Coordinates of all heavy atoms in Angstrom, one line a residue:
K53 N 6.9 -13.0 -0.5 CA 5.6 -13.7 -0.2 C 4.5 -13.0 -1.0 O 4.4 -11.7 -1.0 CB 5.3 -13.7 1.2 CG 4.0 -14.3 1.6 CD 3.6 -14.2 3.1 CE 2.2 -14.7 3.2 NZ 1.2 -13.8 3.7
Y54 N 3.6 -13.7 -1.6 CA 2.5 -13.2 -2.4 C 1.4 -12.6 -1.4 O 1.1 -13.3 -0.4 CB 1.9 -14.4 -3.2 CG 0.6 -14.0 -3.9 CD1 0.6 -13.2 -5.0 CD2 -0.6 -14.4 -3.4 CE1 -0.6 -12.8 -5.6 CE2 -1.8 -14.1 -4.0 CZ -1.8 -13.2 -5.1 OH -2.9 -12.9 -5.7
V55 N 1.0 -11.5 -1.8 CA -0.1 -10.9 -1.0 C -1.4 -10.9 -1.8 O -1.4 -10.4 -2.9 CB 0.3 -9.4 -0.6 CG1 -0.8 -8.8 0.2 CG2 1.6 -9.4 0.1
S56 N -2.4 -11.5 -1.3 CA -3.7 -11.6 -2.0 C -4.4 -10.3 -2.1 O -4.1 -9.3 -1.5 CB -4.6 -12.6 -1.3 OG -5.1 -12.1 -0.1
A57 N -5.4 -10.3 -3.0 CA -6.2 -9.1 -3.2 C -6.8 -8.6 -1.9 O -6.8 -7.4 -1.6 CB -7.2 -9.3 -4.3
E58 N -7.3 -9.6 -1.2 CA -8.1 -9.3 0.0 C -7.0 -8.7 1.1 O -7.4 -7.7 1.8 CB -8.7 -10.6 0.6 CG -9.7 -10.4 1.7 CD -10.4 -11.6 2.1 OE1 -10.4 -12.6 1.4 OE2 -11.1 -11.5 3.2
E59 N -5.8 -9.3 1.2 CA -4.8 -8.8 2.1 C -4.4 -7.4 1.7 O -4.2 -6.5 2.6 CB -3.6 -9.7 2.1 CG -3.8 -11.0 2.8 CD -2.6 -12.0 2.6 OE1 -2.5 -12.5 1.5 OE2 -1.9 -12.1 3.6
T60 N -4.3 -7.2 0.4 CA -3.9 -5.9 -0.1 C -4.9 -4.8 0.2 O -4.6 -3.8 0.8 CB -3.6 -5.9 -1.6 OG1 -2.7 -6.9 -1.9 CG2 -3.2 -4.5 -2.2
L61 N -6.2 -5.2 0.1 CA -7.2 -4.2 0.5 C -7.2 -3.9 1.9 O -7.5 -2.8 2.3 CB -8.6 -4.8 0.0 CG -8.9 -4.7 -1.5 CD1 -10.2 -5.4 -1.8 CD2 -9.0 -3.2 -2.0
K62 N -7.0 -4.9 2.8 CA -6.9 -4.7 4.2 C -5.7 -3.7 4.5 O -5.8 -2.8 5.4 CB -6.7 -6.0 4.9 CG -8.0 -6.8 5.1 CD -7.8 -8.1 5.8 CE -9.1 -8.9 5.8 NZ -8.9 -10.3 6.4
L63 N -4.6 -3.9 3.9 CA -3.4 -3.0 4.1 C -3.7 -1.6 3.7 O -3.3 -0.7 4.4 CB -2.2 -3.5 3.3 CG -1.5 -4.7 3.9 CD1 -0.4 -5.2 2.9 CD2 -0.9 -4.5 5.3
I64 N -4.3 -1.4 2.6 CA -4.6 0.0 2.1 C -5.8 0.6 2.7 O -6.1 1.8 2.4 CB -4.6 0.1 0.5 CG1 -5.8 -0.8 0.0 CG2 -3.3 -0.4 -0.1 CD1 -6.0 -0.6 -1.5
A65 N -6.5 -0.1 3.6 CA -7.7 0.5 4.3 C -7.2 1.4 5.5 O -7.9 2.2 6.0 CB -8.6 -0.7 4.8
K66 N -5.9 1.3 5.9 CA -5.4 2.0 6.9 C -5.0 3.4 6.4 O -4.8 3.6 5.3 CB -4.1 1.3 7.5 CG -4.4 -0.1 8.0 CD -3.2 -0.7 8.7 CE -1.9 -0.7 7.9 NZ -0.9 -1.4 8.6
Q67 N -4.9 4.3 7.3 CA -4.5 5.7 6.9 C -3.1 5.8 6.7 O -2.6 6.6 5.8 CB -5.0 6.7 8.1 CG -4.7 8.1 7.7 CD -5.3 9.1 8.7 OE1 -5.8 8.7 9.7 NE2 -5.1 10.4 8.4
W68 N -2.2 5.1 7.4 CA -0.8 5.2 7.4 C -0.2 3.8 7.1 O -0.6 2.8 7.5 CB -0.2 5.7 8.6 CG -0.7 7.1 9.0 CD1 -1.7 7.3 9.9 CD2 -0.2 8.3 8.6 NE1 -2.0 8.7 10.0 CE2 -1.0 9.3 9.2 CE3 0.8 8.7 7.8 CZ2 -0.8 10.7 9.1 CZ3 0.9 10.1 7.6 CH2 0.2 11.1 8.2
C69 N 0.9 3.8 6.3 CA 1.7 2.6 6.0 C 3.0 2.7 6.7 O 3.7 3.7 6.7 CB 1.9 2.5 4.5 SG 0.6 1.9 3.5
T70 N 3.3 1.5 7.3 CA 4.6 1.3 7.9 C 5.6 0.8 6.9 O 5.2 0.4 5.7 CB 4.6 0.3 9.1 OG1 4.1 -0.9 8.6 CG2 3.5 0.8 10.2
L71 N 6.8 0.6 7.2 CA 7.8 0.0 6.4 C 7.4 -1.4 5.9 O 7.5 -1.8 4.8 CB 9.2 0.0 7.0 CG 10.3 -0.6 6.1 CD1 10.5 0.3 4.9 CD2 11.6 -0.7 7.0
E72 N 6.9 -2.2 6.9 CA 6.4 -3.5 6.7 C 5.3 -3.6 5.6 O 5.3 -4.5 4.8 CB 6.1 -4.3 7.9 CG 7.2 -4.6 8.8 CD 7.8 -3.4 9.6 OE1 7.0 -2.3 9.8 OE2 8.9 -3.4 10.0
D73 N 4.4 -2.7 5.8 CA 3.3 -2.5 4.8 C 3.8 -2.2 3.4 O 3.4 -2.8 2.4 CB 2.3 -1.5 5.2 CG 1.6 -1.7 6.5 OD1 1.5 -2.8 6.9 OD2 1.2 -0.7 7.2
I74 N 4.8 -1.4 3.2 CA 5.4 -1.0 2.0 C 6.1 -2.2 1.4 O 6.0 -2.4 0.2 CB 6.4 0.2 2.2 CG1 5.5 1.5 2.5 CG2 7.1 0.5 0.8 CD1 6.4 2.6 2.9
M75 N 6.8 -3.0 2.2 CA 7.4 -4.2 1.8 C 6.4 -5.1 1.2 O 6.6 -5.8 0.1 CB 8.1 -4.9 2.9 CG 9.4 -4.1 3.4 SD 10.1 -4.7 4.9 CE 10.7 -6.3 4.4
K76 N 5.3 -5.3 1.8 CA 4.3 -6.2 1.4 C 3.6 -5.7 0.0 O 3.4 -6.5 -0.9 CB 3.2 -6.4 2.4 CG 3.6 -7.3 3.6 CD 2.6 -7.5 4.6 CE 3.0 -8.2 5.9 NZ 2.0 -8.1 6.9
L77 N 3.2 -4.5 0.1 CA 2.5 -3.8 -1.1 C 3.3 -3.8 -2.3 O 2.8 -4.0 -3.4 CB 1.9 -2.5 -0.7 CG 0.8 -2.5 0.3 CD1 0.5 -1.0 0.8 CD2 -0.5 -3.1 -0.3
G78 N 4.6 -3.5 -2.1 CA 5.5 -3.4 -3.3 C 6.2 -4.6 -3.6 O 7.1 -4.7 -4.5
H79 N 6.0 -5.7 -2.8 CA 6.8 -6.9 -3.0 C 8.3 -6.6 -3.0 O 9.1 -7.0 -3.9 CB 6.4 -7.7 -4.3 CG 5.0 -8.0 -4.4 ND1 4.4 -8.9 -3.7 CD2 3.9 -7.4 -5.0 CE1 3.1 -9.0 -3.9 NE2 2.8 -8.0 -4.7
L80 N 8.7 -5.9 -2.0 CA 10.1 -5.4 -1.9 C 10.8 -5.9 -0.7 O 10.2 -6.3 0.3 CB 10.1 -3.8 -1.8 CG 9.4 -3.1 -2.9 CD1 9.4 -1.6 -2.5 CD2 10.2 -3.2 -4.2
G81 N 12.1 -5.9 -0.8 CA 12.9 -6.2 0.5 C 13.0 -5.0 1.3 O 12.5 -3.9 0.9
R82 N 13.7 -5.0 2.4 CA 13.7 -3.9 3.4 C 14.5 -2.7 2.8 O 13.9 -1.6 2.9 CB 14.5 -4.4 4.6 CG 14.5 -3.4 5.7 CD 15.1 -3.9 7.1 NE 15.2 -2.9 8.0 CZ 14.2 -2.4 8.7 NH1 13.0 -2.8 8.6 NH2 14.4 -1.5 9.6
N83 N 15.6 -2.9 2.1 CA 16.3 -1.7 1.6 C 15.5 -1.0 0.5 O 15.4 0.2 0.5 CB 17.7 -2.2 1.1 CG 18.6 -2.5 2.2 OD1 18.4 -2.1 3.4 ND2 19.6 -3.3 2.0
S84 N 15.0 -1.8 -0.4 CA 14.1 -1.1 -1.5 C 12.9 -0.5 -0.9 O 12.5 0.6 -1.4 CB 13.7 -2.2 -2.5 OG 14.8 -2.7 -3.1
A85 N 12.3 -1.0 0.1 CA 11.1 -0.4 0.8 C 11.5 0.9 1.4 O 10.8 1.9 1.4 CB 10.4 -1.4 1.7
L86 N 12.7 0.9 2.1 CA 13.2 2.2 2.7 C 13.4 3.2 1.6 O 13.1 4.4 1.9 CB 14.5 1.9 3.4 CG 14.4 1.2 4.8 CD1 15.8 0.7 5.2 CD2 13.8 2.1 5.8
K87 N 13.9 2.9 0.5 CA 14.1 3.8 -0.6 C 12.7 4.4 -1.1 O 12.6 5.6 -1.3 CB 14.8 3.2 -1.8 CG 16.3 3.0 -1.5 CD 17.0 2.3 -2.7 CE 18.4 1.9 -2.3 NZ 19.0 1.1 -3.4
A88 N 11.8 3.5 -1.2 CA 10.4 4.0 -1.7 C 9.8 4.9 -0.6 O 9.3 5.9 -1.0 CB 9.5 2.7 -1.9
K89 N 9.9 4.5 0.6 CA 9.4 5.3 1.7 C 10.0 6.7 1.7 O 9.4 7.8 1.8 CB 9.6 4.6 3.0 CG 9.0 5.4 4.2 CD 9.3 4.6 5.5 CE 9.2 5.5 6.7 NZ 9.7 4.9 7.9
K90 N 11.4 6.7 1.5 CA 12.1 8.0 1.5 C 11.6 8.8 0.3 O 11.4 10.0 0.5 CB 13.6 7.7 1.4 CG 14.4 8.9 1.4 CD 15.9 8.6 1.3 CE 16.7 9.8 1.3 NZ 18.2 9.5 1.1
K91 N 11.4 8.2 -0.9 CA 10.9 9.0 -2.0 C 9.6 9.7 -1.8 O 9.3 10.8 -2.1 CB 10.9 8.1 -3.3 CG 12.2 7.9 -3.9 CD 12.0 7.0 -5.2 CE 13.4 6.6 -5.7 NZ 13.2 5.8 -6.9
I92 N 8.7 8.8 -1.2 CA 7.3 9.3 -0.9 C 7.4 10.5 0.1 O 6.8 11.5 0.0 CB 6.4 8.2 -0.4 CG1 6.2 7.1 -1.5 CG2 5.1 8.7 0.2 CD1 5.6 5.8 -1.0
K93 N 8.2 10.3 1.2 CA 8.3 11.2 2.2 C 8.9 12.6 1.7 O 8.4 13.6 2.0 CB 9.1 10.7 3.3 CG 9.1 11.5 4.6 CD 9.8 10.8 5.7 CE 9.7 11.6 7.0 NZ 10.1 11.0 8.2
E94 N 9.9 12.4 0.9 CA 10.6 13.6 0.4 C 9.7 14.4 -0.6 O 9.6 15.7 -0.5 CB 11.8 13.3 -0.4 CG 13.0 12.9 0.4 CD 14.2 12.4 -0.3 OE1 14.1 12.1 -1.5 OE2 15.3 12.2 0.3
K95 N 8.9 13.7 -1.3 CA 7.9 14.4 -2.2 C 6.9 15.2 -1.5 O 6.6 16.3 -1.7 CB 7.2 13.3 -3.1 CG 6.1 13.8 -4.0 CD 5.3 12.7 -4.6 CE 4.0 13.3 -5.1 NZ 2.9 12.3 -5.1
L96 N 6.4 14.6 -0.4 CA 5.4 15.3 0.5 C 6.0 16.5 1.2 O 5.4 17.5 1.4 CB 4.7 14.3 1.4 CG 3.8 13.3 0.7 CD1 3.5 12.2 1.7 CD2 2.6 13.9 0.1
E97 N 7.2 16.3 1.7 CA 7.9 17.4 2.4 C 8.1 18.6 1.5 O 8.1 19.7 1.9 CB 9.2 16.9 3.1 CG 8.8 16.0 4.3 CD 10.0 15.3 5.0 OE1 11.1 15.2 4.3 OE2 9.9 14.9 6.1
K98 N 8.5 18.3 0.2 CA 8.7 19.4 -0.7 C 7.4 20.1 -0.9 O 7.5 21.3 -1.3 CB 9.2 18.8 -2.1 CG 10.6 18.5 -2.1 CD 11.1 18.0 -3.4 CE 12.5 17.5 -3.4 NZ 12.9 16.8 -4.6
Q99 N 6.3 19.5 -0.7 CA 5.0 20.1 -0.9 C 4.5 20.9 0.4 O 3.5 21.4 0.5 CB 3.9 19.1 -1.3 CG 4.1 18.5 -2.6 CD 3.1 17.4 -3.0 OE1 2.2 17.1 -2.2 NE2 3.4 16.7 -4.1
G100 N 5.4 20.8 1.4 CA 5.1 21.5 2.7 C 4.4 20.7 3.8 O 4.1 21.2 4.8
Y101 N 4.3 19.4 3.5 CA 3.7 18.5 4.5 C 4.7 18.0 5.6 O 5.8 17.9 5.3 CB 3.0 17.3 3.9 CG 1.8 17.6 3.0 CD1 2.0 17.6 1.7 CD2 0.6 17.9 3.6 CE1 0.9 17.9 0.8 CE2 -0.5 18.1 2.8 CZ -0.3 18.1 1.4 OH -1.4 18.4 0.6
L102 N 4.2 17.9 6.8 CA 5.0 17.3 7.8 C 4.6 15.8 8.0 O 3.4 15.6 8.2 CB 4.8 18.1 9.2 CG 5.2 19.5 9.2 CD1 4.9 20.2 10.5 CD2 6.8 19.7 9.0
I103 N 5.5 15.0 7.9 CA 5.3 13.6 7.9 C 5.8 12.9 9.1 O 7.1 13.1 9.3 CB 5.7 12.9 6.6 CG1 5.2 13.6 5.4 CG2 5.4 11.4 6.5 CD1 3.7 13.5 5.2
P104 N 5.1 12.1 9.8 CA 5.7 11.3 11.0 C 6.9 10.5 10.5 O 7.0 10.1 9.3 CB 4.6 10.4 11.4 CG 3.4 11.0 10.9 CD 3.7 11.7 9.6
K105 N 7.8 10.2 11.4 CA 9.0 9.5 11.0 C 8.8 8.1 10.5 O 9.5 7.7 9.6 CB 10.0 9.5 12.2 CG 11.4 8.9 11.9 CD 12.3 9.0 13.1 CE 13.6 8.4 12.8 NZ 14.7 8.8 13.5
S106 N 8.0 7.4 11.2 CA 7.9 5.9 10.9 C 6.8 5.5 9.9 O 6.8 4.3 9.6 CB 7.6 5.2 12.2 OG 6.4 5.6 12.8
V107 N 6.0 6.4 9.5 CA 4.9 6.1 8.5 C 4.8 7.1 7.4 O 5.3 8.2 7.5 CB 3.5 5.9 9.3 CG1 3.6 4.8 10.2 CG2 3.2 7.3 10.0
V108 N 4.0 6.7 6.3 CA 3.7 7.6 5.3 C 2.2 7.4 4.9 O 1.7 6.3 5.2 CB 4.6 7.4 4.0 CG1 6.0 7.8 4.2 CG2 4.6 6.0 3.5
P109 N 1.6 8.3 4.3 CA 0.1 8.1 4.0 C -0.1 7.0 3.0 O 0.6 6.9 2.0 CB -0.2 9.5 3.4 CG 0.8 10.5 3.9 CD 2.0 9.7 4.0
T110 N -1.0 6.2 3.3 CA -1.4 5.0 2.4 C -1.7 5.5 1.1 O -1.3 4.9 0.1 CB -2.5 4.2 3.1 OG1 -2.1 3.8 4.4 CG2 -2.8 3.0 2.3
K111 N -2.4 6.6 0.9 CA -2.9 7.1 -0.3 C -1.7 7.4 -1.2 O -1.7 7.1 -2.5 CB -3.6 8.5 -0.1 CG -4.0 9.2 -1.4 CD -4.7 10.5 -1.0 CE -5.0 11.3 -2.3 NZ -5.7 12.6 -2.0
E112 N -0.6 7.9 -0.7 CA 0.7 8.1 -1.4 C 1.4 6.8 -1.8 O 1.9 6.7 -2.9 CB 1.6 8.9 -0.7 CG 1.0 10.4 -0.4 CD 0.6 11.2 -1.6 OE1 1.4 11.0 -2.6 OE2 -0.3 11.9 -1.6
V113 N 1.3 5.8 -1.0 CA 1.9 4.5 -1.3 C 1.1 3.9 -2.4 O 1.7 3.3 -3.3 CB 1.9 3.6 0.0 CG1 2.4 2.2 -0.4 CG2 2.7 4.2 1.1
V114 N -0.2 3.9 -2.4 CA -1.1 3.4 -3.5 C -0.7 4.1 -4.8 O -0.6 3.4 -5.8 CB -2.6 3.6 -3.1 CG1 -3.5 3.3 -4.3 CG2 -3.0 2.7 -2.0
A115 N -0.5 5.4 -4.8 CA -0.2 6.1 -6.0 C 1.2 5.7 -6.5 O 1.4 5.6 -7.6 CB -0.3 7.6 -5.7
F116 N 2.1 5.6 -5.5 CA 3.5 5.2 -5.8 C 3.6 3.9 -6.5 O 4.3 3.8 -7.6 CB 4.4 5.3 -4.6 CG 5.8 5.1 -4.8 CD1 6.7 6.1 -5.1 CD2 6.4 3.8 -4.7 CE1 8.1 6.0 -5.4 CE2 7.8 3.6 -4.9 CZ 8.6 4.7 -5.2
F117 N 2.9 3.0 -6.1 CA 2.9 1.6 -6.7 C 1.8 1.4 -7.7 O 1.7 0.3 -8.3 CB 2.8 0.5 -5.6 CG 4.0 0.4 -4.7 CD1 3.9 0.6 -3.4 CD2 5.2 0.2 -5.2 CE1 5.0 0.5 -2.5 CE2 6.4 0.0 -4.4 CZ 6.2 0.2 -3.1
D118 N 1.0 2.5 -8.0 CA 0.0 2.4 -9.0 C -0.9 1.2 -8.7 O -1.2 0.4 -9.7 CB 0.5 2.4 -10.4 CG -0.5 2.7 -11.5 OD1 -1.5 3.4 -11.1 OD2 -0.4 2.3 -12.6
I119 N -1.4 1.1 -7.5 CA -2.3 -0.1 -7.1 C -3.7 0.2 -7.7 O -4.3 1.2 -7.4 CB -2.2 -0.2 -5.6 CG1 -0.8 -0.7 -5.2 CG2 -3.3 -1.4 -5.2 CD1 -0.7 -0.7 -3.7
D120 N -4.2 -0.8 -8.4 CA -5.5 -0.7 -9.0 C -6.6 -1.2 -8.0 O -6.9 -2.4 -8.0 CB -5.5 -1.5 -10.3 CG -6.8 -1.3 -11.1 OD1 -7.8 -0.6 -10.6 OD2 -6.9 -1.8 -12.3
I121 N -7.1 -0.2 -7.2 CA -8.1 -0.6 -6.2 C -9.4 -1.2 -6.8 O -9.9 -2.2 -6.2 CB -8.4 0.6 -5.3 CG1 -7.1 1.0 -4.5 CG2 -9.5 0.3 -4.3 CD1 -7.2 2.2 -3.8
P122 N -10.0 -0.7 -7.8 CA -11.2 -1.2 -8.4 C -11.0 -2.7 -8.8 O -11.9 -3.6 -8.6 CB -11.6 -0.4 -9.6 CG -11.0 1.0 -9.2 CD -9.7 0.6 -8.5
Y123 N -9.8 -3.0 -9.4 CA -9.6 -4.4 -9.9 C -9.5 -5.3 -8.6 O -10.0 -6.4 -8.7 CB -8.2 -4.4 -10.6 CG -7.8 -5.9 -11.0 CD1 -8.4 -6.5 -12.0 CD2 -6.8 -6.5 -10.2 CE1 -8.0 -7.9 -12.2 CE2 -6.4 -7.8 -10.4 CZ -7.0 -8.5 -11.4 OH -6.7 -9.7 -11.7
L124 N -8.8 -4.8 -7.6 CA -8.7 -5.7 -6.4 C -10.0 -6.0 -5.8 O -10.3 -7.1 -5.4 CB -7.8 -5.0 -5.4 CG -6.3 -4.9 -5.7 CD1 -5.6 -4.1 -4.7 CD2 -5.6 -6.3 -5.9
E125 N -10.9 -4.9 -5.7 CA -12.2 -5.1 -5.2 C -13.0 -6.0 -6.0 O -13.8 -6.8 -5.5 CB -12.9 -3.7 -5.1 CG -12.4 -2.8 -4.1 CD -12.9 -1.4 -4.1 OE1 -13.4 -1.0 -5.1 OE2 -12.8 -0.7 -3.0
S126 N -12.8 -6.0 -7.3 CA -13.5 -7.0 -8.2 C -13.1 -8.4 -8.0 O -13.9 -9.3 -8.0 CB -13.4 -6.6 -9.7 OG -12.1 -6.9 -10.1
R127 N -11.8 -8.6 -7.7 CA -11.3 -9.9 -7.4 C -11.9 -10.4 -6.1 O -12.3 -11.6 -6.1 CB -9.8 -9.9 -7.4 CG -9.1 -9.4 -8.5 CD -9.0 -10.5 -9.7 NE -10.2 -11.2 -9.9 CZ -10.9 -11.5 -11.0 NH1 -10.4 -11.2 -12.1 NH2 -12.0 -12.1 -11.0
V128 N -12.0 -9.6 -5.1 CA -12.5 -10.0 -3.8 C -14.0 -10.3 -3.9 O -14.5 -11.3 -3.5 CB -12.2 -9.0 -2.8 CG1 -12.9 -9.4 -1.5 CG2 -10.7 -8.9 -2.5
S129 N -14.7 -9.4 -4.6 CA -16.2 -9.6 -4.7 C -16.5 -10.9 -5.5 O -17.5 -11.5 -5.3 CB -16.8 -8.4 -5.2 OG -16.4 -8.1 -6.5
S130 N -15.7 -11.2 -6.6 CA -16.0 -12.3 -7.4 C -15.7 -13.6 -6.6 O -16.4 -14.6 -6.7 CB -15.2 -12.3 -8.6 OG -13.8 -12.4 -8.4
K131 N -14.7 -13.5 -5.7 CA -14.5 -14.7 -4.8 C -15.6 -14.9 -3.9 O -16.0 -16.0 -3.6 CB -13.1 -14.5 -4.0 CG -11.9 -14.9 -4.6 CD -10.8 -14.8 -3.6 CE -9.4 -14.5 -4.2 NZ -8.4 -14.3 -3.1
E132 N -16.1 -13.9 -3.3 CA -17.2 -13.9 -2.4 C -18.5 -14.5 -3.0 O -19.2 -15.2 -2.5 CB -17.5 -12.5 -1.7 CG -16.5 -12.0 -0.8 CD -16.3 -12.9 0.4 OE1 -17.3 -13.4 1.0 OE2 -15.2 -13.1 0.8
F133 N -18.7 -14.0 -4.3 CA -19.8 -14.5 -5.1 C -19.7 -16.0 -5.3 O -20.7 -16.7 -5.1 CB -19.9 -13.7 -6.4 CG -20.9 -14.2 -7.3 CD1 -22.2 -13.8 -7.0 CD2 -20.6 -15.0 -8.4 CE1 -23.3 -14.2 -7.9 CE2 -21.7 -15.4 -9.2 CZ -23.0 -15.1 -9.0
I134 N -18.5 -16.4 -5.7 CA -18.3 -17.9 -5.9 C -18.6 -18.7 -4.6 O -19.2 -19.8 -4.6 CB -16.9 -18.2 -6.5 CG1 -16.9 -17.6 -7.9 CG2 -16.6 -19.6 -6.5 CD1 -15.5 -17.5 -8.5
K135 N -18.0 -18.2 -3.5 CA -18.2 -18.8 -2.2 C -19.7 -19.0 -1.8 O -20.1 -19.9 -1.2 CB -17.5 -18.0 -1.0 CG -16.1 -18.4 -0.8 CD -15.7 -17.6 0.5 CE -14.2 -17.4 0.5 NZ -13.8 -16.6 1.7
N136 N -20.5 -18.0 -2.1 CA -21.9 -17.9 -1.7 C -22.8 -18.7 -2.7 O -24.0 -18.8 -2.4 CB -22.4 -16.5 -1.6 CG -21.7 -15.7 -0.5 OD1 -21.4 -16.4 0.5 ND2 -21.5 -14.5 -0.7
M137 N -22.3 -19.3 -3.7 CA -23.1 -20.0 -4.7 C -23.5 -21.4 -4.1 O -22.9 -22.0 -3.3 CB -22.4 -20.2 -6.0 CG -22.3 -18.9 -6.7 SD -21.4 -19.1 -8.4 CE -22.7 -19.8 -9.3

């Protein structure tokens, strides 16, 4: 399922991402999302961080998928601008 810019911004506004969030943000199935989550978690644990079992930091998910936040914000703001005309 396609996730709009607005939905993406709502997902990345949270501090932590669940598996379902990773699936949406990466446009991945369950198994691929589990692999991505595992890679993110292992990277952070190697750096000495303790990460909860069911979530990973959203900041790391954004970096992993190289999500362009300014672009998404511009898409949302331009939609709002058009709506208000």
